[in-house]
Amino acid sequence: MKILIAEDNFTDRLILKKIVEASGHEVLEADNGVTAMEVFVSQSPDLVFLDAIMPEMDGYQAAEKIKALTTNHYVPIIFITSLTEQADLVRCMEVGGDDFFTKPFNKVFLEAKLRAFERTNNLYRTIEKQRDEIQFHTDHMLQEQEVAKRIFDKIAHTGELHQPYIRYTASPMSIFNGDILLVARRPFGGVHVFLGDFTGHGLPAAIGAMPTSDIFFGMTLKGFALVEIIQELNRRLHAVLPTGFFCCALAAHIDFEEHNIQVWNAGLPEAYLMNRASGEFIELPSSHLPLGIVGNENLNVSFSIYSFQEDDRLFAYTDGVTEAENSEGEMFGQERLLEALKRGINDDDAFGCLLRDVDEFQTEPEQGDDITYIEVHYSTDYKGPEDEQNLTGELSSGPSDSRFSLELGPNSLRNFNPLPVLSQPLMEIGHLQMFRTQVLTILTELYSNALEHGVLKLKSSLKSSAEGFAEYYRLRQLRLEELEEGFVKVDVKHSPSDNGGRLEIQVSDSGEGFDYKKALKKAESKGYSGRGFPLLYRLADSVEFENNGATIKVVFSWSTGK
């Protein structure tokens, strides 16, 4: 060891020096406190012998300064003193001394103390080295997590959460968030909402969010129905998540034009439909298994359907909200959550009221779980498909002068959604991607009309209320399951022009047709509002009916304006 001896008496310093050097240690010398501090700063000794009484700066003052300089590492201080009063010896310990040695020196005793402090010193150096290694690896891990987080955020982006009809908060417990909140606008109108809570916290919980986000946004953009998206999410998570890991989730499809909402709750706390005008609260409890627990053959994807009008709000949250704790360990709880929502709904600020209550309640800086909640309100400013245009469409070498057909029989109609397949070649045509929403809306309306009204013989009048919507989709599913005959045929032709093209879509079904002239007059009397045929007339250049309405041909001309 390198040992500093600070002693103003030359004889005592020399004797102590010889004993220390004989024990195999290097000696540094100082004859007063000021010199001792200069040597300590310049030479960084491993142990200090310090006389209590010295000129210029006594040992007590020097000990305090040495301890202030060694907060991050251990340097023992042994006081050398001829003092015998208990108060003086106690003061040696109080100012930072680790031991004391009285004069005259006992060589055997002193050598034993040196060996003991050498062992202690070696132990502390080992601990400090391990501490530094741990800190290095911790800093490296945090740096990697920050990089991974930036990549993760770009992959698992939040989509349409910036829309004015959405309010949300997401407060992760750590760098990575086990909660996932996604909103995507459907190309056919309306939005998909997904709120998920993966088992656990941090990076292991967040891993599942990456395929979830990719599937949700990719399938929504391609026109898949929410039920198909949930099935694919469950299939993927069931395949990749380890046993014991799963995702509690709430998924909703909100159609602002049809004034309805479809909700599927699988393991999250009950969500709420709130009406600002009446103050009514409708509970949306969990009634399904979380994603990833069972295979699709045992997965129930049945939606609850409700009316969604101008004063309505959807509120959903993860259990981190109700499990937030105060300094006494008391949870925020369901009762406080409901009280905050009801107090704020009349002022149209249920979300803000709850946000303030949770912040005030959760006084501890460390939270025990990820906290996420969202409020979606009915929007009169929501843009319909005729108002939307994707200006980021890129030119591709797709089938610009092309024609294709697809005919579906009973089995395919029961089990297959053709819209993503039909849309794929269309979206490869030049800049037609700029008009994705309009084109896919036309396809959806034509196919839905052919399947639901032509083949399944369902009546639109059922969809005049939320209860009617539920009955409509119940009959739709029932008749699909019982379907033994019938077909839907889709013919698509595209002809290019200098700066755009002409798209012809013809859809035929095996039904008996309908009185389309009467339907058109009825639509005209309402000023072509809503979906169905009025929407087709707004989007397309022309709509033609043949075969008593069992065949509909639509022409959509497009131009980039360049």
Side-chain angles (χ1 to χ4, degrees):
M1 290 188 297
K2 187 188 295 185
I3 298 176
L4 169 62
I5 300 175
E7 166 66 65
D8 64 324
N9 185 289
F10 175 78
T11 303
D12 288 342
R13 188 169 71 251
L14 180 62
I15 295 172
L16 187 56
K17 175 183 178 181
K18 294 299 182 182
I19 296 174
V20 171
E21 287 180 335
S23 299
H25 303 291
E26 178 185 353
V27 173
L28 307 171
E29 297 181 65
D31 59 2
N32 60 65
V34 173
T35 305
M37 288 305 305
E38 293 174 351
V39 173
F40 182 86
V41 171
S42 63
Q43 299 294 322
S44 301
D46 301 306
L47 185 146
V48 177
F49 281 103
L50 196 61
D51 188 9
I53 307 299
M54 288 188 297
E56 298 190 44
M57 180 189 293
D58 62 28
Y60 301 125
Q61 295 171 304
E64 290 177 333
K65 291 182 179 294
I66 289 172
K67 286 300 180 182
L69 293 173
T70 57
T71 55
N72 293 326
H73 60 283
Y74 176 65
V75 177
I77 296 176
I78 302 176
F79 271 96
I80 308 167
T81 179
S82 56
L83 301 172
T84 57
E85 293 294 328
Q86 184 175 356
D88 296 323
L89 298 178
V90 168
R91 188 182 177 194
C92 292
M93 300 297 103
E94 288 178 341
V95 296
D98 297 280
D99 204 347
F100 55 85
F101 198 78
T102 57
K103 304 173 183 179
F105 303 125
N106 182 315
K107 180 183 177 185
V108 175
F109 193 33
L110 179 59
E111 289 175 341
K113 280 185 179 291
L114 285 173
R115 288 193 296 272
F117 273 106
E118 185 173 22
R119 290 194 300 271
T120 303
N121 196 283
N122 289 336
L123 175 62
Y124 270 91
R125 294 294 178 267
T126 301
I127 293 173
E128 287 175 352
K129 182 179 179 181
Q130 292 173 341
R131 178 202 64 194
D132 293 341
E133 289 178 352
I134 291 172
Q135 186 63 48
F136 172 79
H137 290 297
T138 299
D139 292 342
H140 184 65
M141 180 187 68
L142 290 175
Q143 183 181 19
E144 288 185 333
Q145 285 191 352
E146 289 289 352
V147 173
K149 180 67 163 56
R150 289 195 292 270
I151 298 173
F152 175 83
D153 286 343
K154 291 182 179 179
I155 296 174
H157 62 88
T158 52
E160 297 290 312
L161 283 175
H162 62 280
Q163 294 296 336
Y165 51 83
I166 292 174
R167 298 182 70 184
Y168 76 97
T169 186
S171 176
M173 178 182 172
S174 58
I175 291 179
F176 287 96
N177 197 349
D179 290 354
I180 181 171
L181 179 58
L182 310 169
V183 178
R185 188 178 300 193
R186 301 184 71 240
F188 320 124
V191 295
H192 283 164
V193 178
F194 183 90
L195 174 60
D197 183 1
F198 283 87
T199 311
H201 310 288
L203 182 57
I207 290 298
M210 297 181 72
T212 299
S213 173
D214 188 44
I215 291 169
F216 178 84
F217 287 116
M219 293 185 69
T220 298
L221 183 64
K222 292 177 181 177
F224 284 93
L226 190 55
V227 61
E228 296 170 305
I229 297 173
I230 291 172
Q231 289 170 337
E232 178 60 20
L233 285 173
N234 186 72
R235 186 194 67 78
R236 183 74 64 86
L237 294 178
H238 186 248
V240 302
L241 292 181
T243 302
F245 282 76
F246 51 84
C247 178
C248 297
L250 179 139
H253 165 57
I254 303 175
D255 192 324
F256 295 106
E257 292 183 285
E258 295 285 0
H259 302 283
N260 73 84
I261 179 172
Q262 302 178 40
V263 181
W264 183 81
N265 191 346
L268 281 186
E270 57 269 29
Y272 297 99
L273 273 180
M274 309 178 295
N275 185 278
R276 183 174 65 88
S278 66
E280 179 185 10
F281 275 63
I282 299 176
E283 286 191 3
L284 309 175
S286 169
S287 54
H288 304 284
L289 287 174
L291 296 170
I293 293 181
V294 299
N296 278 4
E297 66 277 5
N298 295 314
L299 182 69
N300 181 2
V301 193
S302 56
F303 287 81
S304 299
I305 304 175
Y306 303 90
S307 172
F308 199 67
Q309 305 294 332
E310 186 171 348
D311 288 317
D312 289 329
R313 310 284 187 271
L314 169 67
F315 179 83
Y317 61 100
T318 60
D319 58 11
V321 180
T322 52
E323 293 177 4
E325 295 185 357
N326 60 15
S327 56
E328 285 75 36
E330 183 183 8
M331 290 187 179
F332 187 74
Q334 187 74 20
E335 185 177 342
R336 287 188 179 90
L337 182 142
L338 271 174
E339 193 276 329
L341 292 178
K342 290 180 178 178
R343 191 172 68 249
I345 189 64
N346 292 331
D347 297 329
D348 197 20
D349 193 30
F351 181 93
C353 190
L354 177 63
L355 182 65
R356 290 188 293 272
D357 281 13
V358 172
D359 286 345
E360 292 174 3
F361 181 85
Q362 188 176 251
T363 54
E364 294 298 310
E366 296 292 331
Q367 62 188 59
D369 197 358
D370 301 316
I371 294 176
T372 307
Y373 44 102
I374 181 174
E375 180 187 271
V376 185
H377 63 82
Y378 178 85
S379 174
T380 55
D381 298 327
Y382 176 81
K383 292 182 178 180
E386 64 272 27
D387 300 318
E388 297 178 14
Q389 181 171 317
N390 178 13
L391 298 178
T392 61
E394 296 180 357
L395 184 65
S396 63
S397 56
S400 60
D401 50 347
S402 58
R403 183 169 190 166
F404 62 89
S405 299
L406 179 66
E407 183 170 340
L408 305 175
N411 189 54
S412 296
L413 293 173
R414 281 196 302 269
N415 304 301
F416 177 65
N417 177 6
L419 295 174
V421 174
L422 292 169
S423 67
Q424 185 62 37
L426 292 176
M427 293 304 102
E428 296 293 327
I429 297 174
H431 287 286
L432 187 58
Q433 232 183 51
M434 295 170 62
F435 305 91
R436 161 188 288 274
T437 302
Q438 295 94 318
V439 171
L440 297 188
T441 299
I442 290 172
L443 266 175
T444 302
E445 292 298 330
L446 290 174
Y447 178 75
S448 297
N449 175 75
L451 174 63
E452 297 174 2
H453 304 310
V455 178
L456 301 180
K457 297 180 173 58
L458 293 168
K459 296 186 179 300
S460 296
S461 57
L462 275 175
K463 296 192 286 186
S464 59
S465 65
E467 295 77 13
F469 261 102
E471 177 64 11
Y472 183 90
Y473 286 108
R474 187 191 71 80
L475 288 174
R476 184 185 188 278
Q477 184 61 34
L478 178 63
R479 293 183 184 181
L480 274 177
E481 292 171 356
E482 297 174 346
L483 188 64
E484 295 182 355
E485 60 181 19
F487 70 85
V488 174
K489 183 180 180 182
V490 182
D491 294 286
V492 178
K493 178 182 178 182
H494 183 266
S495 304
S497 64
D498 291 339
N499 58 354
R502 173 186 170 91
L503 182 66
E504 299 177 12
I505 303 174
Q506 179 175 294
V507 178
S508 305
D509 63 68
S510 57
E512 300 173 355
F514 66 104
D515 189 348
Y516 60 88
K517 294 181 180 179
K518 181 179 178 181
L520 290 177
K521 287 182 180 179
K522 185 177 180 180
E524 288 175 357
S525 66
K526 295 184 178 181
Y528 289 132
S529 62
R531 299 187 70 88
F533 295 132
L535 182 58
L536 288 178
Y537 271 87
R538 294 205 303 272
L539 296 178
D541 293 288
S542 65
V543 180
E544 298 178 8
F545 297 88
E546 298 177 4
N547 193 22
N548 197 35
T551 298
I552 305 177
K553 179 180 178 181
V554 169
V555 174
F556 177 79
S557 299
W558 62 280
S559 172
T560 61
K562 296 179 181 179

